[in-house]
Amino acid sequence: MYETEPTAAVRGEPGSQAGAKPVRNFIDGEYRDSGRWFDKRSPLDNALIARVAEASREDVDAAVRAARAALAGPWGGLTIAQRVDLLYAVADGIERRFDDFLAAEVADTGKPVSLARHIDIPRGAANFKVFADVVKNVPAESFEMATPDGAGALNYAIRRPVGVVGVICPWNLPLLLMTWKVGPALACGNTVVVKPSEETPQTAALLGEVMNAAGVPRGVYNVVHGFGPGSAGEFVTTHPGVNAITFTGETRTGAAIMKAAADGARPVSLEMGGKNAAIVFADCDFDAAIEGTLRSCFSNAGQVCLGTERVYVERPIFERFVAALKEGAERLRPGRPEEAATGIGPLISHEHRNKVLSYYRKAVELGATVVTGGGVPDLPANLREGAWVQPTLWTGLGDDSPIAREEIFGPCALVMPFDSEAEVVGRANANAYGLATAIWTTNLSRAHRVAAAIEVGIAWVNSWFLRDLRTAFGGAKQSGIGREGGVHSLEFYTELKNICVKL
Ligand code: NAD
């Protein structure tokens, strides 16, 4: 698929394409060129690594038509068992091409190979198997009913696909989050039009090859590349042939997509931003809390929706905890993804780095104490053009500062002391977002009490990012609408139909 150069270039410089691979749209089982191409640059060093075909409105239209035709044709005619077999073949196909997916994901994101090897790619494959198992095993309800004539009636439910699902994806865990939607959508018998992030087009494109090799009928899985407004994102979400839209990304974008989905009253599932609190009680297992908080603040360079950006620490251990966090943050060595010593990669882009650095500056202007970091790391010459920032910790600001309220989405956290359980629950909840929390305590009763009281979709106790894919996933408040995961995904990806039979 990557053998030829793009035929035309509108964005970027057509003359500077040496070494940049073309990444095409995948429509109706084929890779297709486009009249417009945009540049994809490496977050590591800003080198041009790919030229990406930007889907036009006509391309998106062709993708939706292909998806509708597959629904009405070969895909719609499969039994659940046949569909499940194909999804297992897709998962096996990802595993067979593990190294190709790994290379593509690491090239697009710059994240450490060790991270992508253990999280992104395996979960990409697992998402197909888990939801294949769900649809195979979940029963539907039935009710016997009395009627005045004494003969009775029988109600039973069946599930049907919602149709063509538009899947709009972010860049932070590209394959993982895309398949988290595509896995259940296909398992439930839908077809999809996927719009990957403009920052991370490669793994979604590569998955087309796996779909073809597995024998998934053409038109079931389509990929259209591009941006949001005025580009493929808008074309997908406003297309009347798209029956439902599932989205992961910023809350502001989710609100725009909700407005687009209002035309035609189409359902949305939204997984959005967060400003997650870790709550560390003085009775915690100190080392475990440090290890977990370092991961929740700095994994994937802080670009994890579930990550921590507010750390509340009970006052008796505050100073010691801050010192240990500082030491851990300073151990995270920036470096190339393939080097074993690399502890942290770059941010996704210069644009995102500008946003994160603007918060680094704002924290100082507001009077924060910079415990560590606060700027750009000193790097070898070959990495200096990349989108790097230092892992950063602050103290000295309160809950109403923008540093405590707004999602930064970088490797940074504000650490604040607290004095009582009631106080910290109130402070953690005084935020517009409600995605996740991590509670660190050895007091069992307190763990249950606080987990129940925090206004979030996911509360971890003495852990973070420990995910059983059968459980509900989603955000409270401005972090999301709806739940996906396990049987909960069926609520969005199927229409539950009740059939009432008078006996
Ligand atoms: P983003 O909202 O900028 O973009 C997400 C996707 O939406 C991209 O594909 C983009 O091109 C597209 N898009 C943008 N505007 C659009 C529009 N008007 N219409 C249609 N599509 C549009 O998000 P991002 O920067 O890619 O990702 C980071 C954000 O994602 C953070 O806020 C993070 O918290 C959130 N996130 C949430 C979860 C979760 O599960 N809750 C998971 C990962 C990331």
Side-chain angles (χ1 to χ4, degrees):
M1 101 187 214
Y2 295 131
E3 71 285 4
T4 55
E5 290 292 297
T7 49
V10 173
R11 297 183 184 196
E13 298 144 31
S16 66
Q17 293 168 16
K21 58 162 81 155
V23 179
R24 298 184 166 84
N25 296 307
F26 183 73
I27 297 171
D28 204 13
E30 289 171 358
Y31 287 95
R32 297 201 188 163
D33 281 359
S34 159
R36 287 167 73 94
W37 297 80
F38 62 92
D39 289 352
K40 164 61 195 167
R41 291 186 173 273
S42 167
L44 293 174
D45 55 9
N46 211 33
L48 182 68
I49 54 170
R51 301 271 299 154
V52 188
E54 183 179 355
S56 64
R57 199 181 282 279
E58 291 69 37
D59 294 328
V60 172
D61 201 40
V64 175
R65 263 186 282 118
R68 300 217 72 81
L71 266 183
W75 184 245
L78 296 184
T79 63
I80 289 182
Q82 288 168 324
R83 232 163 44 216
V84 161
D85 285 348
L86 281 175
L87 296 184
Y88 262 77
V90 170
D92 292 343
I94 295 174
E95 275 155 13
R96 250 195 310 279
R97 308 234 1 223
F98 194 96
D99 289 346
D100 296 337
F101 278 97
L102 187 64
E105 202 75 307
V106 168
D108 275 354
T109 60
K111 64 176 73 188
V113 167
S114 55
L115 187 67
R117 185 189 296 286
H118 288 112
I119 307 247
D120 299 67
I121 314 304
R123 266 288 305 278
N127 284 335
F128 286 99
K129 289 191 174 161
V130 164
F131 290 105
D133 291 344
V134 168
V135 298
K136 206 164 58 178
N137 293 314
V138 170
E141 65 190 21
S142 80
F143 290 99
E144 286 182 315
M145 181 188 175
T147 54
D149 65 4
L154 177 64
N155 291 279
Y156 65 93
I158 57 171
R159 291 190 180 274
R160 286 291 174 263
V162 288
V164 176
V165 180
V167 183
I168 311 290
C169 309
W171 45 257
N172 59 329
L173 299 160
L175 181 72
L176 187 161
L177 290 172
M178 186 264 287
T179 54
W180 172 246
K181 310 290 199 173
V182 171
L186 299 192
C188 292
N190 303 286
T191 57
V192 295
V193 178
V194 174
K195 211 296 280 174
S197 168
E198 53 274 33
E199 301 291 353
T200 51
Q202 295 199 58
T203 46
L206 189 53
L207 188 60
E209 291 186 20
V210 169
M211 292 280 172
N212 282 349
V216 173
R218 54 197 294 163
V220 171
Y221 174 79
N222 303 276
V223 180
V224 290
H225 298 292
F227 304 82
S231 184
E234 181 185 317
F235 303 152
V236 171
T237 52
T238 56
H239 199 294
V242 170
N243 301 99
I245 302 161
T246 180
F247 164 78
T248 307
E250 280 188 30
T251 297
R252 222 179 14 198
T253 313
I257 286 176
M258 235 179 139
K259 285 188 188 137
D263 272 340
R266 294 165 304 151
V268 290
S269 174
L270 306 177
E271 290 175 358
M272 306 190 286
K275 186 73 185 178
N276 309 304
I279 302 178
V280 184
F281 288 94
D283 63 12
C284 69
D285 173 335
F286 190 88
D287 293 343
I290 284 291
E291 190 273 332
T293 308
L294 284 170
R295 276 198 305 120
S296 71
C297 292
F298 301 124
S299 286
N300 208 36
Q303 304 166 117
V304 180
C305 54
L306 304 161
T308 301
E309 289 191 355
R310 296 183 286 159
V311 185
Y312 294 96
V313 184
E314 204 169 3
R315 202 172 300 271
I317 62 164
F318 182 76
E319 298 300 333
R320 193 174 145 227
F321 199 84
V322 170
L325 271 187
K326 171 181 177 351
E327 197 192 315
E330 289 172 359
R331 271 200 312 268
L332 291 171
R333 235 194 73 182
R336 296 197 64 84
E338 62 281 3
E339 286 167 10
T342 296
I344 188 165
L347 297 178
I348 189 67
S349 64
H350 280 275
E351 187 189 347
H352 187 50
R353 182 168 84 153
N354 289 343
K355 175 187 161 187
V356 171
L357 286 178
S358 77
Y359 278 98
Y360 282 18
R361 282 192 299 275
K362 193 180 287 186
V364 173
E365 283 159 23
L366 292 167
T369 301
V370 181
V371 176
T372 186
V376 173
D378 205 11
L379 287 159
N382 63 346
L383 295 178
R384 269 187 216 136
E385 300 301 314
W388 302 87
V389 296
Q390 288 177 315
T392 294
L393 294 166
W394 304 283
T395 56
L397 293 178
D399 294 296
D400 37 357
S401 91
I403 305 300
R405 280 188 289 110
E406 297 169 15
E407 182 183 54
I408 302 172
F409 218 55
C412 55
L414 174 62
V415 196
M416 295 172 278
F418 72 89
D419 293 298
S420 77
E421 182 183 313
E423 172 209 332
V424 78
V425 167
R427 289 172 63 191
N429 284 342
N431 191 277
Y433 293 109
L435 188 53
T437 190
I439 300 156
W440 299 91
T441 177
T442 52
N443 178 328
L444 191 61
S445 298
R446 171 148 57 202
H448 288 292
R449 224 172 22 238
V450 175
I454 301 283
E455 296 162 353
V456 289
I458 305 145
W460 276 289
V461 175
N462 296 330
S463 64
W464 177 76
F465 213 140
L466 188 55
R467 289 277 301 122
D468 182 325
L469 304 184
R470 295 168 301 181
T471 61
F473 182 91
K477 304 200 277 191
Q478 289 188 25
S479 290
I481 294 185
R483 292 292 181 274
E484 296 195 26
V487 294
H488 307 285
S489 292
L490 302 187
E491 296 304 314
F492 180 73
Y493 293 105
T494 65
E495 291 289 358
L496 186 63
K497 184 193 300 187
N498 185 67
I499 297 174
C500 178
V501 183
K502 172 75 173 64
L503 302 176

